[in-house]
């Protein structure tokens, strides 16, 4: 185990099982519809989840990416998410599925929702790997979330602290001393 991880919160196996359920939920949602959803990975945090999720889906999808930053190098959201790289595709008239790593304060999701709906998407569905409901600052929720977690700072499976730990294959609680120095 990585020396800066206090304990494993979710193992690879636990994550894998929930990712399959999320994919099945999306397949069900688009079953019988003659539409190719535009599935958007909110980079960088959701990239690992996104790759596993789309590969577990049966529905044909179009993939797109958007880079949003909100943290700088701290463990607290700035409340001002910034779009660093926009979608390549137009969202106009599309069934957009936003894939998030975690909904924390909700600021990022709020911004993405306003943006994508404002571009005339036909539908907007949010799937998140993790949800920290106790941290919410703005009233918004994902349509599907794999895990609800307590208020602990976690890393791995795409999630970072200061751009590190994203390639850890499990989700672990980061030692406090790492971000409270
Ligand atoms: P929000 O805008 O506060 O909802 O936060 C959204 C972003 O903050 C997420 O997409 C993550 O990138 C990041 N974030 C929130 N909580 C954590 C955490 O516990 N570990 C790592 N990143 C986090
Ligand atoms: Mg993120």
């Amino acid at each position: 185990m990585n020396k800066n991880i206090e304990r494993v919160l979710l193992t690879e196996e636990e994550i894998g099982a929930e990712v399959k359920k999320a994919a099945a939920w999306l397949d069900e949602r688009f079953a019988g519809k003659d539409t190719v959803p535009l599935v958007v990975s909110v980079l960088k945090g959701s990239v690992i989840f996104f790759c596993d999720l789309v590969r577990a889906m049966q529905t044909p999808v179009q993939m797109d990416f958007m880079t949003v930053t909100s943290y700088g190098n701290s463990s607290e959201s700035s409340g001002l998410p910034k779009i660093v790289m926009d979608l390549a595709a137009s969202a106009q008239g599309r069934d957009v599925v936003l894939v998030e790593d975690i909904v924390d304060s909700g600021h990022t999701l709020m911004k993405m929702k306003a943006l994508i709906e404002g571009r005339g998407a036909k539908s907007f569905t949010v799937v998140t790997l993790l949800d920290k409901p106790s941290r919410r600052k703005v009233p918004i929720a994902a349509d599907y979330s794999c895990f609800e977690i307590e208020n602990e700072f976690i890393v791995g499976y795409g999630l970072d602290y200061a751009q590190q730990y994203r390639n850890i294959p499990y989700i672990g609680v980061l030692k406090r001393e790492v971000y409270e120095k």
Side-chain angles (χ1 to χ4, degrees):
M1 195 166 81
N2 185 292
K3 67 175 177 15
N4 289 334
I5 302 293
E6 187 173 289
R7 66 190 161 83
V8 176
L9 185 69
L10 300 165
T11 65
E12 286 185 71
E13 291 71 28
E14 287 168 328
I15 297 167
E18 286 305 313
V19 171
K20 284 206 183 72
K21 287 188 207 163
W25 183 84
L26 281 168
D27 283 340
E28 174 84 12
R29 195 167 177 94
F30 292 106
K33 291 203 180 120
D34 196 17
T35 175
V36 177
L38 183 66
V39 186
V40 175
S41 169
V42 183
L43 297 175
K44 296 177 256 202
S46 83
V47 69
I48 311 260
F49 173 44
F50 176 86
C51 291
D52 286 345
L53 182 70
V54 292
R55 287 183 300 171
M57 287 174 70
Q58 304 293 316
T59 311
V61 303
Q62 188 182 334
M63 304 193 289
D64 212 332
F65 305 90
M66 197 179 231
T67 307
V68 182
T69 57
S70 62
Y71 267 52
N73 278 351
S74 94
S75 69
E76 283 289 324
S77 168
S78 64
L80 293 169
K82 198 170 103 204
I83 290 162
V84 177
M85 184 189 77
D86 207 339
L87 297 175
S90 164
Q92 169 75 42
R94 300 296 302 269
D95 290 298
V96 175
V97 177
L98 198 75
V99 180
E100 264 287 15
D101 52 355
I102 184 165
V103 184
D104 187 39
S105 70
H107 285 301
T108 307
L109 188 51
M110 199 63 124
K111 172 146 185 170
M112 300 292 289
K113 183 176 159 73
L115 187 81
I116 287 169
E117 287 180 347
R119 289 177 181 179
K122 186 165 94 196
S123 70
F124 182 68
T125 306
V126 180
V127 174
T128 187
L129 177 68
L130 303 159
D131 187 7
K132 277 187 195 169
S134 67
R135 295 258 307 170
R136 208 72 92 246
K137 298 251 166 60
V138 286
I140 195 159
D143 298 286
Y144 188 99
S145 104
C146 294
F147 301 96
E148 262 194 23
I149 63 167
E150 299 298 317
N151 183 14
E152 290 180 298
F153 197 79
I154 45 92
V155 294
Y157 197 70
L159 289 105
D160 74 308
Y161 171 67
Q163 300 302 328
Q164 285 186 67
Y165 313 105
R166 293 194 195 275
N167 64 327
I168 292 176
Y170 54 87
I171 290 175
V173 178
L174 191 62
K175 285 185 182 162
R176 277 187 164 270
E177 67 216 48
V178 177
Y179 56 92
E180 284 182 348
K181 290 199 272 242

